[in-house]
Amino acid sequence: MKNDILKELALKAKNRLIHKDMKGEGDKKDYRIKIIKSGDDAFYNKVKNLLGREEEILNPIKFLMDDGLLSEMSDGEREKYLFETVDKYNKFKSQIEDQNQVGYGY
């Protein structure tokens, strides 16, 4: 998904460079910038605490998702939120496990 957004932004930038001398519909300029935070510290800390517990949690995704947020979302938004949460959980879980393996190796 991030690659699609990056490709779209690159294509728009390329088209602006190519058509910069052309006038017409491009007179309206839109300079909105969205800053994307690569790391989510609060979520990372939740995953780290979850993995550090002695007891096993059967449904870690349910533990990580915000129930208040879920109640306000439509079905499509819930599905997107679920998949994003699963992706972030798997990413941070592998990072934490890799860190733990490196830490025990010395």
Side-chain angles (χ1 to χ4, degrees):
M1 182 171 185
K2 289 181 184 179
N3 289 338
D4 294 339
I5 294 170
L6 184 60
K7 285 180 186 178
E8 182 181 342
L9 290 173
L11 183 61
K12 285 181 182 179
K14 181 181 175 184
N15 287 334
R16 281 194 306 267
L17 288 173
I18 290 173
H19 302 296
K20 115 176 156 179
D21 295 331
M22 300 172 74
K23 301 290 180 186
E25 291 180 20
D27 290 341
K28 243 187 342 181
K29 295 182 180 178
D30 187 15
Y31 294 106
R32 286 182 270 162
I33 298 174
K34 181 177 180 182
I35 298 174
I36 301 171
K37 186 176 176 184
S38 62
D40 189 352
D41 296 334
F43 192 85
Y44 176 84
N45 289 332
K46 282 184 178 181
V47 173
K48 191 170 185 174
N49 289 336
L50 184 70
L51 295 175
R53 288 185 174 188
E54 302 248 343
E55 74 264 0
E56 182 180 350
I57 303 232
L58 298 177
N59 190 356
I61 303 303
K62 175 70 174 155
F63 177 79
L64 295 169
M65 293 177 78
D66 184 5
D67 291 332
L69 207 65
L70 275 174
S71 65
E72 298 173 1
M73 293 181 177
S74 67
D75 290 339
E77 291 172 330
R78 284 184 194 139
E79 186 175 318
K80 181 180 177 187
Y81 180 58
L82 171 69
F83 288 131
E84 288 174 351
T85 303
V86 170
D87 287 341
K88 285 171 43 174
Y89 171 72
N90 287 330
K91 178 181 133 186
F92 288 137
K93 180 181 176 187
S94 66
Q95 282 181 2
I96 292 167
E97 288 173 348
D98 290 344
Q99 289 173 355
N100 289 342
Q101 287 178 353
V102 170
Y104 292 128
Y106 294 106

